[in-house]
Amino acid sequence: MLQLSTARMDFQRYTEADLEQIARLVTNPDVMHYIGDGQVKDKTYARELLTRMQEQYENFEDFGLHKLILKETGDMVGHAGIVAQIIDDAFEIELGYWLFPDYWGHGYVMEAAEALLHYAIEELELERVISVIQTENAASINIAKKNGMHLEKTIVHEGKDVHVYCWKAE
């Protein structure tokens, strides 16, 4: 089970009680703009996402999106995690994150991304981690670069042009 904290946040597994928070994320057009096909989703999708994350917890222990909880207030700012994905017909391990817009611009994503990459390298001993980022998402591209990832390729994924940023062990 993922045991991870940063200076300001704790990573926590989703439970059934978190369905409304997930629904708040997936129904927010600003959050969803650069996620998947860019379209807002509904509560049914939120339920499916919760089920997928719980399956990843069960099958892969440390993997799956986890709530990001501010230590100071207990507020959920979004979620982040190490997620098993099929990208360009290959099994990949992706570092992903979504934040509520009220928390953008405060360094939370960078803090979470650094902690996750360090965990993936040091604890999970992964030799490759990617981030799939829509080509016009400058903020996430900047996070990937600051986190030591490099642009590996550009592909079409879920109908969108995306960059695949990669960190590889040397």
Side-chain angles (χ1 to χ4, degrees), residues 36-54:
D37 64 6
Q39 301 299 308
V40 295
K41 308 300 184 208
D42 59 16
K43 196 166 183 176
T44 299
Y45 180 87
R47 160 64 53 207
E48 292 166 359
L49 181 60
L50 175 60
T51 299
R52 281 198 315 270
M53 289 310 101
Q54 290 175 325

Side-chain angles (χ1 to χ4, degrees), residues 28 33 39 43 50 83 90 96 99 111 114 116-117 130 133 147 152 154 165:
N28 186 306
H33 183 76
Q39 301 299 308
K43 196 166 183 176
L50 175 60
V83 182
L99 254 63
E111 193 173 318
E114 286 176 331
L116 285 167
L117 185 58
I130 67 163
I133 304 169
N147 210 14
E152 182 176 79
T154 302
Y165 275 81

